[in-house]
Amino acid sequence: MRDSHGRRIDYLRISVTDRCDLRCRYCMSETMQFLPRREILTLEEIAVIAERFIARGVRRIRLSGGEPLVRRDFGDLARALGRHVKAGRLDELTLTTNGTQLATYADMLFDAGIRRINVSLDALDPDIFAHVTRGGDIAKVLGGLEAARQAGLKVKLNTVALRDTNEGQILPLLDYCAEQGFDLTLIETMPLGEVAEDRSDRFLPLIEAIAPIRERHALIPLGDRTGGPARYFALSGLKTRLGLITPLSQNFCADCNRMRLTCQGRIYMCLGHEDHIDLKAAFREQGVAGIDALLDRALAAKPLAHDFSVAAGAQPATRRHMSVTGG
Ligand code: SAM
Ligand code: SF4
């Protein structure tokens, strides 16, 4: 699939649920209203729609949310899509999770054909973690990470850099990753959905966030891409790779290769735009045949770039939260 700007689209992110067992401050408000269940695609519908994307040339799928592991019977979807990896129709099936349920599900994920997961962790300090997540228990995540390692899953931690919140956690997180054999990716906060705080107060450009790392290690740019927007660096003296996702300070849209399917059955062509195409109705009325024409429309409508701003007082780029579109 190619969009109207000539970009090859071979990566699909699926938000399998907008629900979550945490309430990270940059992601959602404490009183987040979740979608009514009747508006949500069934797991079977998600699998059939994903299969249509695979038939059209998608080679990588990432399952995200909300928290994917809180959706009951998530394993059925992982196994259904994992079969396409085993058959060579898909290069990779990956997962983004907050890690709270990994101790239960790590082996299942590996058996389903998942080999790489991203686990979001913004602090190792229990109090800072509880503050950012509004009540999360770090012990559960650390236990989950241990289970993932033992199951043979390759782990990358995702850390959102937040001013006056977790700057002091970045070196401890890097040391932890080095000890565990994990990679670390730092992310700038993006203005998606109302979260009850002004994001401009918390926005920390990564150039500042990595200053303490630079004092200890040389950053050596790597050409590696893993299908996402991160740029990777080797660090002198460490095996851990450092990824940087800088949507605000360095725009990466020129290389965008992705589309997003939400749990409501909408295709979003860009995380930062409201434009979307509703697949659910077409799919429920016409079956798989209804999907193709809308996919072509989505490709034609994919915008060239997001238009995020975190200037003081700026409105979020979209009213939609990351948990709805799938981070
Ligand atoms: N619940 C899972 C998790 O936290 O990994 C998966 C969904 S979460 C929406 C996916 C990723 O988006 C996480 O790494 C999270 O830190 C990131 N995220 C959420 N809201 C964000 C925002 N406003 N700006 C930047 N990253 C955000
Ligand atoms: Fe939940 Fe992930 Fe959003 Fe945190 S970032 S509230 S874990 S969906």
Side-chain angles (χ1 to χ4, degrees), residues 279-324:
L279 271 191
K280 187 174 65 188
F283 177 59
R284 287 187 176 166
E285 280 159 27
Q286 304 161 43
V288 173
I291 298 177
D292 267 340
L294 291 184
L295 259 180
D296 289 330
R297 255 181 54 203
L299 284 169
K302 188 167 163 66
L304 192 55
H306 69 67
D307 41 20
F308 293 147
S309 160
V310 282
Q315 293 299 311
T318 77
R319 289 177 46 231
R320 212 168 65 244
H321 292 83
M322 184 82 118
S323 51
V324 172

Side-chain angles (χ1 to χ4, degrees), residues 20 22-24 26-28 66-67 98 323:
C20 189
L22 300 180
R23 295 287 182 280
C24 303
Y26 51 80
C27 181
M28 42 176 94
E67 175 46 41
N98 63 25
S323 51

Side-chain angles (χ1 to χ4, degrees), residues 69-238:
L69 296 180
V70 303
R71 183 142 185 196
R72 200 148 42 90
D73 302 329
F74 170 80
D76 295 345
L77 177 66
R79 278 185 289 272
L81 296 180
R83 271 184 224 119
H84 295 283
V85 179
K86 292 174 182 166
R89 286 186 290 271
L90 203 57
D91 294 336
E92 196 177 33
L93 178 66
T94 55
L95 172 80
T96 303
T97 171
N98 63 25
T100 60
Q101 322 247 351
L102 268 178
T104 310
Y105 295 116
D107 288 326
M108 177 279 284
L109 297 173
F110 190 91
D111 292 342
I114 292 177
R115 294 291 174 268
R116 256 183 352 116
I117 61 172
N118 289 354
V119 180
S120 304
L121 183 59
D122 301 321
L124 282 174
D125 177 279
D127 295 331
I128 301 177
F129 181 79
H131 170 75
V132 173
T133 56
R134 296 196 185 91
D137 176 3
I138 185 81
K140 281 193 192 164
V141 181
L142 295 179
L145 284 164
E146 178 58 24
R149 206 170 53 83
Q150 286 189 14
L153 293 165
K154 198 164 167 341
V155 174
K156 181 163 76 70
L157 293 193
N158 277 350
T159 301
V160 176
L162 300 163
R163 187 179 294 289
D164 297 334
T165 308
N166 69 349
E167 290 109 318
Q169 293 293 295
I170 289 174
L171 277 182
L173 281 162
L174 183 64
D175 289 339
Y176 170 75
C177 286
E179 224 175 81
Q180 302 291 320
F182 301 160
D183 286 335
L184 176 67
T185 290
L186 302 179
I187 307 175
E188 287 176 349
T189 43
M190 291 172 245
L192 300 169
E194 298 287 351
V195 289
E197 292 191 3
D198 185 348
R199 284 199 181 84
S200 60
D201 294 344
R202 296 279 166 254
F203 177 66
L204 179 64
L206 293 192
I207 190 79
E208 271 185 57
I210 62 171
I213 300 182
R214 281 202 141 120
E215 283 175 17
R216 276 194 358 198
H217 305 277
L219 267 63
I220 305 138
L222 296 169
D224 320 20
R225 299 305 294 249
T226 51
R231 288 171 298 124
Y232 286 97
F233 297 84
L235 298 169
S236 58
L238 284 188

Side-chain angles (χ1 to χ4, degrees), residues 9 11-15 53 62 64-65 190 192 229 252 256-263 265-273 275-277 279 298 302 308 320 322 324-327:
I9 309 300
Y11 188 128
L12 176 66
R13 285 209 175 188
I14 305 177
S15 175
F53 275 86
R62 178 172 291 279
S64 184
M190 291 172 245
L192 300 169
F252 46 55
C256 186
N257 58 352
R258 65 191 55 195
M259 288 210 189
R260 295 162 187 276
L261 174 68
T262 71
C263 53
R266 295 175 172 179
I267 308 180
Y268 281 91
M269 287 71 81
C270 174
L271 189 59
H273 284 258
D275 290 351
H276 63 270
I277 284 177
L279 271 191
K302 188 167 163 66
F308 293 147
R320 212 168 65 244
M322 184 82 118
V324 172
T325 331

